[in-house]
Amino acid sequence: MQYPSVIRETLDSARNQAALWRSRLPSFKELLLSIPRTPANIVTAAILAMGALLTLLRFTLGIGGISNLDNVNPWGIWIGFDLLCGVALAAGGYTTSAACYLFGLKRYHGAVRPAITTAFLGYLFVVVALHYDVGQPWRLVYPIFVSQGTTSVLFEVGLCVFIYLCVLLVEWTPASLEWLGLKTIRSFVVKLTLPLTILGVILSTMHQSSLGALFLTSPGKLHPLWYSSFLPVFFFVSSMFAGMSMVLFEGGLAHRFLHHKMDEAHLHSSREIALGFAKASSFVMAGYLCMRLFDLAMNNNWAYLGTGYGLLYLVELLGFVALPMLLYAFGVREKRFGLIRAASLMAVLGIVLNRLNVCLIAFNWQLPADERYFPSIMEIGLSVFIVTMIITAYRIFAHFLPMLHEHPEYKDAH
Amino acid sequence: MNRRKFLQLLGITGGAATAVSMGARKAVAASGARVEPDRNAVGVLHDSTLCIGCRRCEAACARVNNLPPPKDLGDAAVFDAKRRPEVDAYTVVNRYDRNAGKPIFRKMQCNHCLEPACASACFVRAFKKTPEGPVVYDPSLCVGCRYCMIACPFTIPAYDYHKVLNPLVHKCTLCAPRLAEGKLPGCVEICPTGALVFGKRTELLDLARERIRKTPGLYEDHIYGETEVGGTSWLYLSPVPHAELGQPELDTTSIPELTSGALGAVPMVAALWPVLLTGAYAISKRRDRIAAEEEAAAVAKAVSEAESKAAEELKKALAKAAKEKESALAKAAQEKDAAVAKALAEAEAKAAKTAATEAAAHEPDGKGER
Amino acid sequence: MQPEVFTSLQDFMLHTKSITYILMGVGLVALACFWVFLSGRDEDIRKF
């Protein structure tokens, strides 16, 4: 490869693009004013403003100033929801790209870019959320670059998430590169797709399971119905249908709100994607239910089913895994897409419930009520802020980038 | 406890059970290394039958660590609520009431486990189990993730939630700096009743067993900390079941052992997944390739079949056309001959007729031409 | 030769896991290279 010519070409491309922008786009202020004042945008702006305020409070009052965390409940919803659920639901990135590129199921091509974008944004904002939760965020690079705590499961999570975020960033760039017109770099990046996909599956397996392994340290604190030596396996397997369900759920939302951004090919393939992912999710959910059941039997925990926590356990597994599993099955057999979409929402909620159970609800179950944790309004506000940023970024990408349609100059791109 | 008593106790030798975590031995059984705790590692024995709840240990701890002195020393009302170590109180004493008899007091602080959960959980190696015994903390590395607090089965570490600039984790240090100077931990030195005894862990275990043996019925027949989570440096004797003094009921398996399985699976995934995934890719590529080849073959076959069929048809058509041409020519020739013969015959007949008419015209019968 | 002695499982695991992580990184790269080597002389799809 001739480096000087590539560099020249890139610079020329960039210069042309910049000139194009300057001629086409108004100033930043005009750009902001040009954003339509739809209800969604107004709410978004309000939430972003609230987030800015909360950020200020976090870094002046400390974690204790805005949260209900204490010495007995050191982890709250920023870990339980933003980190655990965020990573589980971003799993669509590795499942979709594996299905398409590794198992040769080319009909899922149309789902890859949105899934990778979701995953990239998901992991990026997990790192953002960590900057609020951790006491000294400026030291977040220490475990990787300064002092490696290799005996820690959290070290493995951190290392994997860091590397995977880089992988996702590279996998995500083709859409942006097409938008920017940087052809040579784009074609180089596209050649990396296969090894990056494989690396992505490896990294995802490792950190999805390790997030479950985090809780292996606390058999006394996590309720027996959830504590198991197989927690890592449960987390990994559930991440598969979490990711696929999230792809389905988002696809449904995108169809409703971003329909105008989709081209023929995308619309056409979305039915196939829905059927394929629903079938796969359903079957994986069946296997997962068996695993949870066998674990219950091996630990002889039947008696707990009659308690309050037992009820919660049954709600989680029967109401939010078994039920969507069946709905998926009917939806696939009868080709009913509304049913599939409903099931995907239930499955996503089920994953959220499972992660919250393991981290917050069934954790410290033996403590008296006055020592139990409940998030403060500001903690909730910060989580809402982070989710809003993800959605907003996604909407911006969908608007500008060839994500839901093909760029005219790269016809066979994706 | 004074210097003399302490040195006396050190004189006790005898069968020193190493109390190495059985699990640790198991975990490394297959490997080429030995896990042997330092036999000189120190510990502290706390005997609740001797503790009077004066809380002088709390005051000494605060002095030694430059913390604010404990509030309301001497005020019994402090014991009405159960307390736990805080960022500015590394140790606390709690009172546990009995139905009959005097209340029992127990001191609570970091137990300096032989296999510390905090050290295992910390992803920046901020906690370290020193061979001498204390589990020490390096504040210059701590990121503030608080996983140590999740992992600690005794929920000891406390965090600076209200600091922004340098929030840290706080816990008892077993006065490691003082130990290095040959001094006793602050709490042990000040204890007026001898409820706290400092020495080698192995010898403290012997001492504790000796006490149980000498006064059966006075003590619960179990030294708390001997085997819990792989053993702790801080050991407890109690007149009642330890759980009644708020001690968590724990298994002998250490926390590092609980996560070692999951940690071990990670490198296996890194080794095996590339093989399996590349295999899946290769299989699907091969299937695509065979499908493409079969398709190409089918197309070629169809094309050649079509071609040969077309050639045959053409040949047939040509032959047919040639035959038709021939028969048409023959027919035409025939017709021509027939026509010629007919024309000739007609011409002859006509000629004959004309000749006959001419002959008749030349006879004298008066009718003639003109 | 005396095998290395560690004073705790924590110590032992710190040592072994550190080495293992480094080997993982090397291993992944090596596997990728080996695959390229294995596939070096594969035939292309026949297109008649």
Side-chain angles (χ1 to χ4, degrees):
Chain A
M1 187 156 82
Q2 256 107 343
Y3 289 105
S5 69
V6 169
I7 296 173
R8 211 181 311 126
E9 192 188 308
T10 310
L11 286 175
D12 284 340
S13 231
R15 224 172 288 142
N16 290 338
Q17 278 294 326
L20 211 59
W21 291 345
R22 243 174 277 129
S23 65
R24 252 199 272 153
L25 292 180
S27 73
F28 191 64
K29 183 161 157 223
E30 287 172 45
L31 185 69
L32 278 183
L33 289 174
S34 75
I35 299 174
R37 288 184 187 81
T38 61
N41 289 345
I42 294 181
V43 168
T44 302
I47 294 177
L48 293 180
M50 170 196 74
L53 176 63
L54 287 172
T55 306
L56 183 66
L57 291 176
R58 157 68 179 89
F59 289 102
T60 51
L61 302 177
I63 298 172
I66 66 171
S67 76
N68 282 342
L69 299 173
D70 57 28
N71 291 325
V72 171
N73 298 291
W75 283 356
I77 58 168
W78 295 339
I79 297 289
F81 178 72
D82 290 286
L83 173 64
L84 292 181
C85 297
V87 170
L89 298 176
Y94 84 86
T95 48
T96 312
S97 55
C100 180
Y101 299 124
L102 295 182
F103 298 107
L105 302 170
K106 302 238 174 25
R107 57 187 180 276
Y108 296 133
H109 230 154
V112 172
R113 273 196 189 173
I116 294 283
T117 304
T118 304
F120 170 58
L121 289 176
Y123 279 88
L124 182 64
F125 282 97
V126 157
V127 174
V128 168
L130 280 178
H131 279 73
Y132 288 88
D133 180 77
V134 141
Q136 307 209 30
W138 43 91
R139 288 186 183 174
L140 269 173
V141 289
Y142 276 32
I144 300 173
F145 296 108
V146 174
S147 174
Q148 297 78 23
T150 50
T151 59
S152 169
V153 178
L154 194 59
F155 169 76
E156 200 271 313
V157 172
L159 183 65
C160 273
V161 167
F162 173 71
I163 298 176
Y164 189 48
L165 190 55
C166 298
V167 165
L168 281 172
L169 174 63
V170 175
E171 283 187 315
W172 173 78
T173 49
S176 304
L177 292 173
E178 283 169 20
W179 184 59
L180 292 170
L182 297 169
K183 292 194 172 62
T184 317
I185 297 185
R186 181 200 162 274
S187 66
F188 171 68
V189 170
V190 165
K191 280 201 194 75
L192 291 175
T193 302
L194 185 63
L196 286 181
T197 301
I198 292 182
L199 189 58
V201 177
I202 295 171
L203 291 169
S204 292
T205 309
M206 297 199 295
H207 69 257
Q208 294 284 357
S209 57
S210 292
L211 283 175
L214 283 177
F215 297 95
L216 292 176
T217 56
S218 316
K221 300 184 187 179
L222 182 57
H223 191 281
L225 283 175
W226 281 270
Y227 185 86
S228 160
S229 325
F230 295 101
L231 263 173
V233 182
F234 296 161
F235 267 55
F236 171 56
V237 172
S238 60
S239 79
M240 292 199 277
F241 62 81
M244 290 194 282
S245 298
M246 198 58 186
V247 169
L248 288 176
F249 178 61
E250 270 177 28
L253 287 179
H255 261 268
R256 242 180 101 206
F257 298 108
L258 294 167
H259 197 94
H260 53 286
K261 276 285 167 191
M262 299 181 176
D263 62 12
E264 264 312 305
H266 193 95
L267 289 169
H268 183 73
S269 65
S270 66
R271 281 171 61 96
E272 279 206 60
I273 294 168
L275 290 174
F277 274 24
K279 189 171 177 189
S281 291
S282 189
F283 200 50
V284 174
M285 283 156 108
Y288 174 74
L289 281 173
C290 287
M291 286 200 290
R292 296 289 301 263
L293 174 66
F294 298 163
D295 186 66
L296 179 65
M298 289 195 286
N299 291 319
N300 207 25
N301 280 333
W302 304 100
Y304 285 109
L305 292 178
T307 66
Y309 281 101
L311 182 63
L312 177 62
Y313 175 84
L314 290 172
V315 165
E316 178 196 312
L317 287 184
L318 296 180
F320 288 92
V321 180
L323 183 54
M325 172 192 82
L326 293 171
L327 292 179
Y328 271 143
F330 277 117
V332 165
R333 284 171 62 100
E334 311 294 328
K335 311 267 188 301
R336 290 177 54 182
F337 295 91
L339 211 56
I340 290 178
R341 226 168 295 143
S344 73
L345 175 60
M346 291 180 72
V348 166
L349 290 176
I351 293 294
V352 171
L353 181 59
N354 171 258
R355 300 312 196 248
L356 290 180
N357 278 342
V358 170
C359 183
L360 299 176
I361 305 176
F363 192 82
N364 277 341
W365 65 288
Q366 288 171 316
L367 290 184
D370 58 353
E371 288 183 43
R372 294 297 304 273
Y373 159 84
F374 196 82
S376 71
I377 198 83
M378 288 186 278
E379 277 178 89
I380 297 174
L382 201 69
S383 288
V384 169
F385 170 54
I386 293 190
V387 172
T388 303
M389 285 198 286
I390 297 177
I391 296 175
T392 308
Y394 190 91
R395 286 172 64 205
I396 294 176
F397 289 160
H399 185 80
F400 287 107
L401 300 178
M403 196 169 74
L404 300 170
H405 59 272
E406 270 177 12
H407 194 290
E409 292 175 34
Y410 301 89
K411 263 306 163 190
D412 289 318
H414 70 287
Chain B
M1 169 58 69
N2 60 29
R3 196 133 228 130
R4 207 171 47 151
K5 248 203 188 131
F6 164 50
L7 290 168
Q8 261 177 2
L9 285 164
L10 279 188
I12 298 172
T13 47
T18 50
V20 172
S21 161
M22 277 304 296
R25 271 225 199 91
K26 212 174 18 179
V28 302
S31 71
R34 280 175 27 224
V35 171
E36 280 280 336
D38 193 322
R39 283 167 192 271
N40 295 321
V42 299
V44 177
L45 175 64
H46 174 52
D47 190 335
S48 281
T49 61
L50 297 172
C51 181
I52 57 172
C54 64
R55 295 172 64 209
R56 265 172 242 181
C57 49
E58 291 185 36
C61 175
R63 235 183 356 259
V64 162
N65 290 297
N66 294 317
L67 298 170
K71 289 193 290 273
D72 309 318
L73 274 176
D75 182 2
V78 166
F79 289 120
D80 290 341
K82 294 288 181 293
R83 296 173 300 146
R84 51 149 288 138
E86 296 291 342
V87 294
D88 54 4
Y90 296 174
T91 185
V92 293
V93 177
N94 282 315
R95 182 186 71 206
Y96 299 88
D97 294 310
R98 277 196 278 200
N99 285 334
K102 293 187 303 184
I104 311 168
F105 296 94
R106 175 179 70 90
K107 180 176 182 295
M108 181 193 209
Q109 72 300 304
C110 171
N111 288 322
H112 298 274
C113 306
L114 298 189
E115 299 291 358
C118 53
S120 170
C122 183
F123 71 162
V124 277
R125 265 191 289 172
F127 285 101
K128 190 165 145 48
K129 171 71 174 176
T130 59
E132 298 78 29
V135 175
V136 295
Y137 169 76
D138 183 349
S140 71
L141 290 172
C142 180
V143 182
C145 72
R146 308 186 302 284
Y147 186 32
C148 53
M149 298 164 73
I150 294 274
C152 177
F154 306 102
T155 324
I156 291 296
Y159 195 67
D160 283 320
Y161 282 108
H162 291 276
K163 278 173 93 174
V164 177
L165 283 181
N166 191 27
L168 298 170
V169 171
H170 297 273
K171 72 170 188 69
C172 160
T173 60
L174 237 189
C175 290
R178 285 172 60 97
L179 294 187
E181 294 172 19
K183 298 195 207 150
L184 288 171
C187 52
V188 175
E189 194 175 54
I190 204 110
C191 181
T193 63
L196 293 171
V197 180
F198 174 83
K200 284 195 215 169
R201 184 177 186 270
T202 52
E203 290 168 0
L204 292 173
L205 282 169
D206 288 339
L207 173 62
R209 284 193 206 102
E210 197 50 30
R211 287 191 191 176
I212 295 175
R213 195 188 63 86
K214 275 219 197 101
T215 47
L218 178 59
Y219 292 108
E220 175 73 7
D221 186 13
H222 177 62
I223 308 166
Y224 190 85
E226 181 176 6
T227 56
E228 277 75 4
V229 288
T232 61
S233 301
W234 214 283
L235 303 164
Y236 299 84
L237 281 175
S238 159
V240 298
H242 293 278
E244 287 179 28
L245 300 188
Q247 300 276 33
E249 292 186 48
L250 296 169
D251 203 30
T252 57
T253 320
S254 71
I255 309 300
E257 277 174 79
L258 289 174
T259 56
S260 68
L263 279 172
V266 165
M268 292 304 166
V269 169
L272 191 57
W273 259 224
V275 175
L276 295 178
L277 296 172
T278 310
Y281 170 72
I283 290 176
S284 81
K285 256 269 157 308
R286 184 170 176 275
R287 213 183 288 142
D288 283 349
R289 189 183 70 132
I290 291 185
E293 284 183 1
E294 282 183 356
E295 193 185 319
V299 163
K301 183 159 174 242
V303 162
S304 79
E305 268 183 8
E307 272 179 5
S308 65
K309 186 156 174 230
E312 224 183 274
E313 298 260 302
L314 186 65
K315 201 162 119 194
K316 258 197 261 175
L318 281 174
K320 186 164 170 215
K323 229 195 287 175
E324 279 182 359
K325 178 174 162 201
E326 236 182 77
S327 65
L329 279 173
K331 190 163 170 207
Q334 240 177 39
E335 279 181 3
K336 175 175 153 215
D337 287 340
V340 162
K342 185 168 170 204
L344 269 176
E346 273 184 6
E348 262 179 33
K350 197 164 173 194
K353 198 168 171 196
T354 316
T357 317
E358 288 254 319
H362 276 121
E363 271 184 11
D365 66 10
K367 293 187 196 141
E369 34 19 300
R370 264 177 303 270
Chain C
M1 218 173 48
Q2 188 77 324
E4 207 175 336
V5 177
F6 299 91
T7 54
S8 62
L9 178 64
Q10 165 65 16
D11 226 21
F12 172 77
M13 284 180 73
L14 194 61
H15 175 86
T16 58
K17 283 280 173 280
S18 301
I19 296 177
T20 307
Y21 271 105
I22 294 173
L23 288 176
M24 273 166 69
V26 171
L28 279 174
V29 174
L31 278 171
C33 293
F34 189 60
W35 174 258
V36 172
F37 170 71
L38 270 178
S39 318
R41 301 249 177 95
D42 283 355
E43 286 164 18
D44 269 322
I45 298 178
R46 293 168 60 202
K47 285 215 161 75
F48 292 92

